[in-house]
Amino acid sequence: MSLIKHTRFLLLITLIALIIFGYHPMYFNNEGEYTGNGTMSYVLITLTAIVILSIVDIWQSWKYSEIKVYTLSLVAIGIVILGLYAFGFIKSLMEIRTLTIPLIALIIGASSEYSHKQILLICCTYIIMSIYVGLMQIYTNIGGFEILDAYLTNAKNSFGPILCIAGVMSLLVALTTHIPNTLRILLALCSIVIFVEILTIRARFASITYISISSFVIFKYLKQSNKNISLVRYIIAIAIICCIVYYLSDYFIDSFTRNREDDITSGRGEVIVDSIDIFTISPLWGNLTLNRDIGWVHNYFFLKLSSYGIIGSLPWMFLYLYLAVSIIKGLFNANLLSPYHYGWAIILVSFITSLAEPTYPYGPGTTNFIPFLLFGVALSNKIK
């Protein structure tokens, strides 16, 4: 059994590398279209192997209410999607797969019993791969660390949140005690490098998400450690933050506003207003009865409500809100600076991102596999 667990963990590390490496610029053409479909095959093969090796332990996860609710909601969503597909309202069943992958990750995370060191290795692998692919994107597509008028990076709206997740991981490890100081300093530097990468690729909402969650994590750290931190350390910390703000302030402003002074939302705000208008006119069934042609709504909540109305989107909304409430409770009750509880802060990235990206918090593809896996780890370690 020990051999199975070690093999499963090795496959998980491989899966992390494959998921993030899929955003390497070598897998995109000159038009920014993804051409690396071959890498997805390796991802799915590795994921399948992990699931097979986890079958014996999966039953343990059923005791968690979040997994019960997710499973039952997915069944209800599947029934609704099949019905809509049969009557021609939608043209694809892909969303069933999109929602299934995070559930698999959640179950594996809740039943695998990872050690303290294994969680750190998961995070460090994710961080290293994210920084590397981020650098490749920047030097290949932009030419260096500078803010350009045009958006030149590949899959920015998906890769930006990945960098955000890596940055939050870096900060969590850097603030965790009982870890060698050398590693903590290195991860603190990684968190800054990642923030600069996010600004450079101009993933604006990812920048806001990163700042928001990092501020909350630091607040929790100070609240838990205020009796043990000397005045000198406080002064040093404040001085470092002030220096970072000073040197990155112009870079930050350019990242958000350059060539977007007229509409910082790039037209997304207007589409969200259109979705609200659809919901106002047809609150029960949304666009199913109106059949209006509007742009893709970059907000998961409004996308579902406007597409299917209150009745049609009920299983989606129930699952989304149930998980959101669970995450908020965990954020305030858990010790975020314990590796077993990192998942509460990391999964928050996916849910905040869903306010500006329609594929989050569950997709696209396997992008949110690791956040949900660590969320599962956090669920199974509520008392640690």
Side-chain angles (χ1 to χ4, degrees), residues 318-379:
F318 179 74
L319 174 61
Y320 183 88
L321 293 174
Y322 186 89
L323 293 179
V325 170
S326 175
I327 292 166
I328 291 171
K329 288 181 179 178
L331 285 168
F332 285 96
N333 296 329
N335 175 17
L336 296 183
L337 303 179
S338 164
Y340 296 110
H341 293 162
Y342 285 173
W344 296 113
I346 292 167
I347 191 63
L348 184 62
V349 176
S350 299
F351 274 78
I352 292 181
T353 300
S354 71
L355 300 177
E357 294 299 333
T359 57
Y360 278 75
Y362 310 108
T366 53
T367 300
N368 283 289
F369 184 87
I370 297 304
F372 272 90
L373 181 130
L374 292 177
F375 180 33
V377 172
L379 287 177

Side-chain angles (χ1 to χ4, degrees), residues 44 47 70 96-106 365-366 369:
L44 294 177
L47 177 57
Y70 198 138
I96 296 177
R97 176 189 136 176
T98 299
L99 285 161
T100 300
I101 292 174
L103 176 59
I104 292 172
L106 189 61
T366 53
F369 184 87

Side-chain angles (χ1 to χ4, degrees), residues 178-253:
H178 309 302
I179 293 177
N181 288 332
T182 302
L183 180 61
R184 295 177 66 185
I185 293 171
L186 180 61
L187 268 295
L189 293 174
C190 285
S191 68
I192 298 172
V193 171
I194 290 170
F195 183 50
V196 176
E197 287 187 348
I198 296 173
L199 293 177
T200 304
I201 69 172
R202 302 191 68 180
R204 293 171 294 176
F205 199 78
S207 300
I208 295 173
T209 303
Y210 186 29
I211 293 171
S212 302
I213 297 178
S214 296
S215 299
F216 181 78
V217 170
I218 292 172
F219 169 76
K220 291 277 284 187
Y221 170 73
L222 294 175
K223 187 176 180 181
Q224 292 175 203
S225 311
N226 59 355
K227 294 181 180 180
N228 301 318
I229 300 178
S230 65
L231 179 60
V232 174
R233 290 189 177 184
Y234 267 122
I235 295 174
I236 293 174
I238 293 173
I240 292 173
I241 292 173
C242 289
C243 288
I244 293 173
V245 171
Y246 175 77
Y247 284 107
L248 291 181
S249 57
D250 290 339
Y251 205 73
F252 179 86
I253 293 171

Side-chain angles (χ1 to χ4, degrees), residues 74-346:
L74 180 56
V75 171
I77 289 171
I79 293 172
V80 173
I81 289 177
L82 289 173
L84 293 173
Y85 183 79
F87 287 100
F89 288 105
I90 59 175
K91 298 180 181 180
S92 172
L93 302 175
M94 187 61 68
E95 189 164 6
I96 296 177
R97 176 189 136 176
T98 299
L99 285 161
T100 300
I101 292 174
L103 176 59
I104 292 172
L106 189 61
I107 291 173
I108 293 174
S111 59
S112 294
E113 298 181 352
Y114 296 117
S115 69
H116 180 279
K117 291 182 179 180
Q118 285 178 320
I119 296 171
L120 290 176
L121 183 56
I122 289 171
C123 292
C124 288
T125 303
Y126 197 100
I127 292 164
I128 292 170
M129 286 300 302
S130 298
I131 290 176
Y132 167 71
V133 174
L135 289 173
M136 291 300 99
Q137 287 253 16
I138 289 169
Y139 281 104
T140 301
N141 297 319
I142 300 175
F145 284 89
E146 59 178 320
I147 305 297
L148 301 181
D149 289 343
Y151 298 123
L152 299 178
T153 50
N154 309 123
K156 173 178 68 70
N157 295 331
S158 299
F159 188 61
I162 286 177
L163 286 174
C164 182
I165 290 167
V168 172
M169 284 180 177
S170 300
L171 185 62
L172 289 168
V173 177
L175 296 178
T176 300
T177 56
H178 309 302
I179 293 177
N181 288 332
T182 302
L183 180 61
R184 295 177 66 185
I185 293 171
L186 180 61
L187 268 295
L189 293 174
C190 285
S191 68
I192 298 172
V193 171
I194 290 170
F195 183 50
V196 176
E197 287 187 348
I198 296 173
L199 293 177
T200 304
I201 69 172
R202 302 191 68 180
R204 293 171 294 176
F205 199 78
S207 300
I208 295 173
T209 303
Y210 186 29
I211 293 171
S212 302
I213 297 178
S214 296
S215 299
F216 181 78
V217 170
I218 292 172
F219 169 76
K220 291 277 284 187
Y221 170 73
L222 294 175
K223 187 176 180 181
Q224 292 175 203
S225 311
N226 59 355
K227 294 181 180 180
N228 301 318
I229 300 178
S230 65
L231 179 60
V232 174
R233 290 189 177 184
Y234 267 122
I235 295 174
I236 293 174
I238 293 173
I240 292 173
I241 292 173
C242 289
C243 288
I244 293 173
V245 171
Y246 175 77
Y247 284 107
L248 291 181
S249 57
D250 290 339
Y251 205 73
F252 179 86
I253 293 171
D254 281 347
S255 176
F256 269 74
T257 63
R258 188 160 182 173
N259 203 34
R260 285 294 183 273
E261 293 84 356
D262 55 336
D263 182 11
I264 197 171
T265 69
S266 300
R268 295 176 182 177
E270 183 178 342
V271 178
I272 290 177
V273 172
D274 290 340
S275 71
I276 295 173
D277 183 51
I278 288 174
F279 177 72
T280 303
I281 297 173
S282 178
L284 297 182
W285 296 105
N287 211 24
L288 292 175
T289 57
L290 300 179
N291 197 28
R292 285 189 179 180
D293 185 17
I294 65 171
W296 201 15
V297 183
H298 278 66
N299 178 292
Y300 186 84
F301 195 85
F302 287 125
L303 173 64
K304 296 306 176 187
L305 278 179
S306 62
S307 297
Y308 308 130
I310 294 175
I311 296 177
S313 68
L314 186 59
W316 279 276
M317 293 297 96
F318 179 74
L319 174 61
Y320 183 88
L321 293 174
Y322 186 89
L323 293 179
V325 170
S326 175
I327 292 166
I328 291 171
K329 288 181 179 178
L331 285 168
F332 285 96
N333 296 329
N335 175 17
L336 296 183
L337 303 179
S338 164
Y340 296 110
H341 293 162
Y342 285 173
W344 296 113
I346 292 167

